[in-house]
Amino acid sequence: MTVPDPTHAELVLGIDPGSRYMGWAVLGSVGVRVHRVDSGVLKVVAEADLPQRLGRLLDELEGLFARFAVTALAIEAAFVKDNPRTALVLGQARGLPIALAARKGLPVHEYPPAVVKRRVAGSGRADKRQMQEMMRLLLEMDRLPAEDEADALAVAWAHLQTVGTFAQPAVARVQAAAVAEDPRPRTAAQTLYLELVQQAGGSRRRR
């Protein structure tokens, strides 16, 4: 039996869906603080047939729901422009965590990738590397998260912003701390974050 974690006001499971690699992340909030509880990537054998891959992912996802007493699911909305088969496979993979959450009576929140990027990086066109660096910095991780893991962290972070767990958007809050008229020197983390935000904004303007 899963016991709710009393140390977190909200515990959200973020999912970056995929049929071969599925990023996942559990973020908890306490007041205005957001903490990374755990995160990673579910991987299945690429050569396996789709039903086998989905079955393995289902087993892994059931383990995550049993391990963490999450209060909500946040998942990236499907965005596939060109390939109908890819869209179909992705839709089947997305259905797994959504169905498990619904079975447990948990709310499901979907966020388009561009919205997630704007919440985290200040630009809907931020690239994969920028998102990885942003999440490493925001969550004070001692390693760079994998691409799919970073996307799952980001969608969970975006959800906690949306529901008002912490009032100011991440970019505005860190920028304010970094550029405020303060006699204290800017921290290395603030400096790096500002550089990443500026890079993301530059990418947006060049397109």
Side-chain angles (χ1 to χ4, degrees):
M1 177 179 180
T2 304
V3 180
D5 185 349
T7 64
H8 292 104
E10 178 139 8
L11 201 64
V12 59
L13 173 62
I15 291 290
D16 176 46
S19 67
R20 292 184 172 86
Y21 302 97
M22 183 175 289
W24 65 274
V26 177
L27 297 187
S29 66
V30 181
V32 296
R33 295 285 297 173
V34 175
H35 304 273
R36 171 182 164 271
V37 178
D38 203 354
S39 59
V41 180
L42 305 180
K43 302 176 183 179
V44 295
V45 178
E47 292 76 16
D49 292 336
L50 178 61
Q52 294 175 308
R53 299 202 307 269
L54 293 177
R56 176 65 184 276
L57 287 171
L58 181 61
D59 290 341
E60 297 284 352
L61 286 166
E62 286 180 328
L64 292 179
F65 277 98
R67 179 180 169 194
F68 302 104
V70 297
T71 57
L73 172 70
I75 187 168
E76 275 203 356
F79 179 73
V80 180
K81 293 191 299 182
D82 303 319
N83 192 324
R85 174 170 172 74
T86 299
L88 177 62
V89 172
L90 180 61
Q92 291 173 311
R94 290 181 72 254
L96 299 177
I98 291 173
L100 288 173
R103 190 170 68 183
K104 289 181 171 292
L106 300 176
V108 176
H109 306 272
E110 299 183 58
Y111 297 95
V115 171
V116 174
K117 291 177 180 181
R118 282 197 298 271
R119 292 288 174 83
V120 172
S123 168
R125 296 183 182 276
D127 62 28
K128 290 285 190 182
R129 180 69 180 193
Q130 288 166 341
M131 294 297 287
Q132 289 174 276
E133 289 285 2
M134 289 290 194
M135 295 320 303
R136 180 186 67 80
L137 182 59
L138 287 170
L139 296 169
E140 300 178 344
M141 298 175 65
D142 59 4
R143 61 176 177 82
L144 191 71
E147 289 186 1
D148 300 297
E149 180 184 11
D151 287 344
L153 288 164
V155 74
W157 178 278
H159 171 69
L160 291 176
Q161 278 195 354
T162 300
V163 300
T165 297
F166 46 107
Q168 278 189 288
V171 174
R173 177 165 49 82
V174 176
Q175 281 184 329
V179 303
E181 293 182 0
D182 192 317
R184 292 171 298 182
R186 190 181 293 172
T187 67
Q190 288 170 344
T191 300
L192 176 58
Y193 195 19
L194 281 176
E195 290 174 356
L196 290 168
V197 170
Q198 290 162 1
Q199 288 172 16
S203 297
R204 175 179 56 191
R205 288 190 293 271
R206 287 192 296 270
R207 290 175 183 268

